[in-house]
PDB file of all heavy atoms in Angstrom:
ATOM      1  N   TYR A 313       0.552   8.816 -11.737  1.00 94.00           N
ATOM      2  CA  TYR A 313      -0.405   8.033 -10.944  1.00 94.00           C
ATOM      3  C   TYR A 313      -0.796   8.741  -9.660  1.00 94.00           C
ATOM      4  O   TYR A 313      -1.556   8.219  -8.859  1.00 94.00           O
ATOM      5  CB  TYR A 313       0.164   6.639 -10.630  1.00 94.00           C
ATOM      6  CG  TYR A 313       1.576   6.665 -10.083  1.00 94.00           C
ATOM      7  CD1 TYR A 313       1.831   7.051  -8.784  1.00 94.00           C
ATOM      8  CD2 TYR A 313       2.650   6.317 -10.890  1.00 94.00           C
ATOM      9  CE1 TYR A 313       3.119   7.095  -8.281  1.00 94.00           C
ATOM     10  CE2 TYR A 313       3.951   6.357 -10.402  1.00 94.00           C
ATOM     11  CZ  TYR A 313       4.179   6.744  -9.104  1.00 94.00           C
ATOM     12  OH  TYR A 313       5.461   6.796  -8.620  1.00 94.00           O
ATOM     13  N   CYS A 314      -0.234   9.944  -9.439  1.00 94.00           N
ATOM     14  CA  CYS A 314      -0.454  10.650  -8.176  1.00 94.00           C
ATOM     15  C   CYS A 314      -1.084  12.023  -8.360  1.00 94.00           C
ATOM     16  O   CYS A 314      -2.044  12.367  -7.668  1.00 94.00           O
ATOM     17  CB  CYS A 314       0.883  10.783  -7.453  1.00 94.00           C
ATOM     18  SG  CYS A 314       0.815  11.546  -5.825  1.00 94.00           S
ATOM     19  N   THR A 353       6.015  11.697   5.641  1.00 97.00           N
ATOM     20  CA  THR A 353       5.748  11.536   4.223  1.00 97.00           C
ATOM     21  C   THR A 353       5.055  12.791   3.706  1.00 97.00           C
ATOM     22  O   THR A 353       5.132  13.853   4.281  1.00 97.00           O
ATOM     23  CB  THR A 353       4.945  10.224   3.989  1.00 97.00           C
ATOM     24  OG1 THR A 353       4.685  10.078   2.604  1.00 97.00           O
ATOM     25  CG2 THR A 353       3.652  10.172   4.773  1.00 97.00           C
ATOM     26  N   GLY A 354       4.394  12.688   2.549  1.00 94.00           N
ATOM     27  CA  GLY A 354       3.749  13.860   1.985  1.00 94.00           C
ATOM     28  C   GLY A 354       2.860  13.445   0.820  1.00 94.00           C
ATOM     29  O   GLY A 354       2.403  12.302   0.801  1.00 94.00           O
ATOM     30  N   GLY A 355       2.765  14.299  -0.141  1.00 95.00           N
ATOM     31  CA  GLY A 355       3.646  15.247  -0.743  1.00 95.00           C
ATOM     32  C   GLY A 355       5.119  14.834  -0.588  1.00 95.00           C
ATOM     33  O   GLY A 355       5.415  13.698  -0.307  1.00 95.00           O
ATOM     34  N   GLU A 356       5.968  15.775  -0.793  1.00 97.00           N
ATOM     35  CA  GLU A 356       7.393  15.465  -0.659  1.00 97.00           C
ATOM     36  C   GLU A 356       7.919  16.053   0.654  1.00 97.00           C
ATOM     37  O   GLU A 356       8.088  17.269   0.771  1.00 97.00           O
ATOM     38  CB  GLU A 356       8.160  16.003  -1.872  1.00 97.00           C
ATOM     39  CG  GLU A 356       9.647  15.782  -1.785  1.00 97.00           C
ATOM     40  CD  GLU A 356      10.032  14.388  -1.297  1.00 97.00           C
ATOM     41  OE1 GLU A 356       9.499  13.370  -1.798  1.00 97.00           O
ATOM     42  OE2 GLU A 356      10.872  14.294  -0.380  1.00 97.00           O
ATOM     43  N   THR A 382       9.464   8.614   3.903  1.00 98.00           N
ATOM     44  CA  THR A 382       9.226   8.187   2.519  1.00 98.00           C
ATOM     45  C   THR A 382       9.397   9.412   1.643  1.00 98.00           C
ATOM     46  O   THR A 382       8.727  10.431   1.871  1.00 98.00           O
ATOM     47  CB  THR A 382       7.806   7.609   2.339  1.00 98.00           C
ATOM     48  OG1 THR A 382       7.679   6.471   3.182  1.00 98.00           O
ATOM     49  CG2 THR A 382       7.574   7.155   0.899  1.00 98.00           C
ATOM     50  N   SER A 383      10.292   9.314   0.659  1.00 98.00           N
ATOM     51  CA  SER A 383      10.669  10.489  -0.127  1.00 98.00           C
ATOM     52  C   SER A 383      10.886  10.102  -1.575  1.00 98.00           C
ATOM     53  O   SER A 383      11.201   8.950  -1.878  1.00 98.00           O
ATOM     54  CB  SER A 383      11.970  11.050   0.454  1.00 98.00           C
ATOM     55  OG  SER A 383      12.577  11.943  -0.440  1.00 98.00           O
ATOM     56  N   ASN A 384      10.777  11.104  -2.454  1.00 98.00           N
ATOM     57  CA  ASN A 384      11.143  10.832  -3.842  1.00 98.00           C
ATOM     58  C   ASN A 384      12.659  10.951  -4.039  1.00 98.00           C
ATOM     59  O   ASN A 384      13.149  10.729  -5.139  1.00 98.00           O
ATOM     60  CB  ASN A 384      10.378  11.737  -4.814  1.00 98.00           C
ATOM     61  CG  ASN A 384      10.715  13.221  -4.633  1.00 98.00           C
ATOM     62  OD1 ASN A 384      11.787  13.589  -4.169  1.00 98.00           O
ATOM     63  ND2 ASN A 384       9.776  14.081  -5.019  1.00 98.00           N
ATOM     64  N   SER A 406      11.235   6.472  -3.504  1.00 98.00           N
ATOM     65  CA  SER A 406      10.390   5.995  -4.601  1.00 98.00           C
ATOM     66  C   SER A 406      11.123   6.183  -5.919  1.00 98.00           C
ATOM     67  O   SER A 406      11.566   7.284  -6.233  1.00 98.00           O
ATOM     68  CB  SER A 406       9.075   6.775  -4.618  1.00 98.00           C
ATOM     69  OG  SER A 406       8.468   6.646  -3.355  1.00 98.00           O
ATOM     70  N   ASN A 445      10.597   2.013  -3.348  1.00 98.00           N
ATOM     71  CA  ASN A 445       9.198   1.756  -3.743  1.00 98.00           C
ATOM     72  C   ASN A 445       9.059   1.978  -5.234  1.00 98.00           C
ATOM     73  O   ASN A 445       9.527   2.996  -5.752  1.00 98.00           O
ATOM     74  CB  ASN A 445       8.243   2.776  -3.089  1.00 98.00           C
ATOM     75  CG  ASN A 445       8.146   2.616  -1.588  1.00 98.00           C
ATOM     76  OD1 ASN A 445       8.604   1.644  -1.016  1.00 98.00           O
ATOM     77  ND2 ASN A 445       7.519   3.598  -0.953  1.00 98.00           N
ATOM     78  N   VAL A 447       6.133   1.823  -8.510  1.00 97.00           N
ATOM     79  CA  VAL A 447       4.788   1.591  -9.065  1.00 97.00           C
ATOM     80  C   VAL A 447       4.977   1.293 -10.549  1.00 97.00           C
ATOM     81  O   VAL A 447       5.715   2.018 -11.230  1.00 97.00           O
ATOM     82  CB  VAL A 447       3.894   2.847  -8.886  1.00 97.00           C
ATOM     83  CG1 VAL A 447       2.524   2.641  -9.539  1.00 97.00           C
ATOM     84  CG2 VAL A 447       3.735   3.187  -7.404  1.00 97.00           C
ATOM     85  N   ILE A 474       4.490  -1.536  -5.589  1.00 96.00           N
ATOM     86  CA  ILE A 474       3.182  -1.150  -5.031  1.00 96.00           C
ATOM     87  C   ILE A 474       2.154  -1.173  -6.160  1.00 96.00           C
ATOM     88  O   ILE A 474       2.374  -0.519  -7.198  1.00 96.00           O
ATOM     89  CB  ILE A 474       3.212   0.287  -4.447  1.00 96.00           C
ATOM     90  CG1 ILE A 474       4.377   0.455  -3.472  1.00 96.00           C
ATOM     91  CG2 ILE A 474       1.898   0.623  -3.774  1.00 96.00           C
ATOM     92  CD1 ILE A 474       4.512   1.884  -2.922  1.00 96.00           C
ATOM     93  N   GLU A 475       1.075  -1.916  -5.981  1.00 95.00           N
ATOM     94  CA  GLU A 475       0.000  -1.855  -6.978  1.00 95.00           C
ATOM     95  C   GLU A 475      -0.567  -0.439  -7.032  1.00 95.00           C
ATOM     96  O   GLU A 475      -0.753   0.194  -5.984  1.00 95.00           O
ATOM     97  CB  GLU A 475      -1.136  -2.813  -6.591  1.00 95.00           C
ATOM     98  CG  GLU A 475      -0.927  -4.224  -7.064  1.00 95.00           C
ATOM     99  CD  GLU A 475      -2.089  -5.150  -6.685  1.00 95.00           C
ATOM    100  OE1 GLU A 475      -2.956  -4.753  -5.867  1.00 95.00           O
ATOM    101  OE2 GLU A 475      -2.115  -6.271  -7.181  1.00 95.00           O
ATOM    102  N   GLN A 476      -0.835   0.010  -8.225  1.00 94.00           N
ATOM    103  CA  GLN A 476      -1.387   1.355  -8.385  1.00 94.00           C
ATOM    104  C   GLN A 476      -2.774   1.424  -7.735  1.00 94.00           C
ATOM    105  O   GLN A 476      -3.629   0.573  -8.005  1.00 94.00           O
ATOM    106  CB  GLN A 476      -1.503   1.686  -9.874  1.00 94.00           C
ATOM    107  CG  GLN A 476      -1.868   3.122 -10.129  1.00 94.00           C
ATOM    108  CD  GLN A 476      -2.395   3.354 -11.526  1.00 94.00           C
ATOM    109  OE1 GLN A 476      -2.443   2.428 -12.347  1.00 94.00           O
ATOM    110  NE2 GLN A 476      -2.813   4.557 -11.802  1.00 94.00           N
ATOM    111  N   MET A 477      -2.985   2.427  -6.904  1.00 91.00           N
ATOM    112  CA  MET A 477      -4.249   2.526  -6.165  1.00 91.00           C
ATOM    113  C   MET A 477      -5.082   3.717  -6.655  1.00 91.00           C
ATOM    114  O   MET A 477      -4.528   4.678  -7.193  1.00 91.00           O
ATOM    115  CB  MET A 477      -3.958   2.714  -4.670  1.00 91.00           C
ATOM    116  CG  MET A 477      -3.309   1.524  -4.030  1.00 91.00           C
ATOM    117  SD  MET A 477      -3.010   1.819  -2.275  1.00 91.00           S
ATOM    118  CE  MET A 477      -1.405   2.569  -2.288  1.00 91.00           C
ATOM    119  N   MET A 610      -3.778  10.916  -2.551  1.00 82.00           N
ATOM    120  CA  MET A 610      -2.657  10.356  -1.774  1.00 82.00           C
ATOM    121  C   MET A 610      -1.665  11.440  -1.354  1.00 82.00           C
ATOM    122  O   MET A 610      -1.163  11.432  -0.233  1.00 82.00           O
ATOM    123  CB  MET A 610      -1.957   9.338  -2.680  1.00 82.00           C
ATOM    124  CG  MET A 610      -0.722   8.715  -2.122  1.00 82.00           C
ATOM    125  SD  MET A 610      -1.159   7.273  -1.203  1.00 82.00           S
ATOM    126  CE  MET A 610      -0.085   6.072  -1.944  1.00 82.00           C
ATOM    127  N   GLY A 615       1.296   9.262   1.765  1.00 78.00           N
ATOM    128  CA  GLY A 615       1.314   7.867   1.301  1.00 78.00           C
ATOM    129  C   GLY A 615       2.262   7.019   2.135  1.00 78.00           C
ATOM    130  O   GLY A 615       2.982   7.518   2.970  1.00 78.00           O
TER     131      GLY A 615
HETATM  132  N1  LIG B 920       6.712  12.018  -2.394  1.00 80.15           N
HETATM  133  C1  LIG B 920       7.130  10.900  -1.642  1.00 80.15           C
HETATM  134  C2  LIG B 920       7.383   9.699  -2.526  1.00 80.15           C
HETATM  135  O1  LIG B 920       6.980   9.725  -3.685  1.00 80.15           O
HETATM  136  O2  LIG B 920       7.959   8.732  -2.017  1.00 80.15           O
HETATM  137  C3  LIG B 920       6.188  10.520  -0.521  1.00 80.15           C
HETATM  138  C4  LIG B 920       4.722  10.587  -0.804  1.00 80.15           C
HETATM  139  S1  LIG B 920       4.144   9.434  -2.035  1.00 80.15           S
HETATM  140  C5  LIG B 920       2.422   9.796  -2.038  1.00 80.15           C
HETATM  141  C6  LIG B 920       4.334   7.891  -1.175  1.00 80.15           C
HETATM  142  C7  LIG B 920       4.298   6.645  -2.014  1.00 80.15           C
HETATM  143  O3  LIG B 920       3.032   6.541  -2.606  1.00 80.15           O
HETATM  144  C8  LIG B 920       5.303   6.636  -3.160  1.00 80.15           C
HETATM  145  O4  LIG B 920       6.072   5.457  -3.090  1.00 80.15           O
HETATM  146  C9  LIG B 920       4.446   6.644  -4.394  1.00 80.15           C
HETATM  147  O5  LIG B 920       5.024   5.897  -5.437  1.00 80.15           O
HETATM  148  C10 LIG B 920       3.190   6.027  -3.896  1.00 80.15           C
HETATM  149  N2  LIG B 920       2.003   6.378  -4.667  1.00 80.15           N
HETATM  150  C11 LIG B 920       1.566   7.594  -5.048  1.00 80.15           C
HETATM  151  N3  LIG B 920       0.407   7.505  -5.731  1.00 80.15           N
HETATM  152  C12 LIG B 920       0.113   6.193  -5.783  1.00 80.15           C
HETATM  153  C13 LIG B 920      -0.960   5.458  -6.347  1.00 80.15           C
HETATM  154  N4  LIG B 920      -1.959   6.029  -6.995  1.00 80.15           N
HETATM  155  N5  LIG B 920      -0.950   4.115  -6.185  1.00 80.15           N
HETATM  156  C14 LIG B 920       0.060   3.489  -5.521  1.00 80.15           C
HETATM  157  N6  LIG B 920       1.079   4.129  -4.954  1.00 80.15           N
HETATM  158  C15 LIG B 920       1.120   5.471  -5.095  1.00 80.15           C
END
Side-chain angles (χ1 to χ4, degrees):
Y313 49 75
C314 183
T353 180
E356 177 44 48
T382 299
S383 164
N384 64 26
S406 304
N445 292 349
V447 176
I474 308 177
E475 274 181 348
Q476 189 198 357
M477 294 180 271
M610 176 88 128

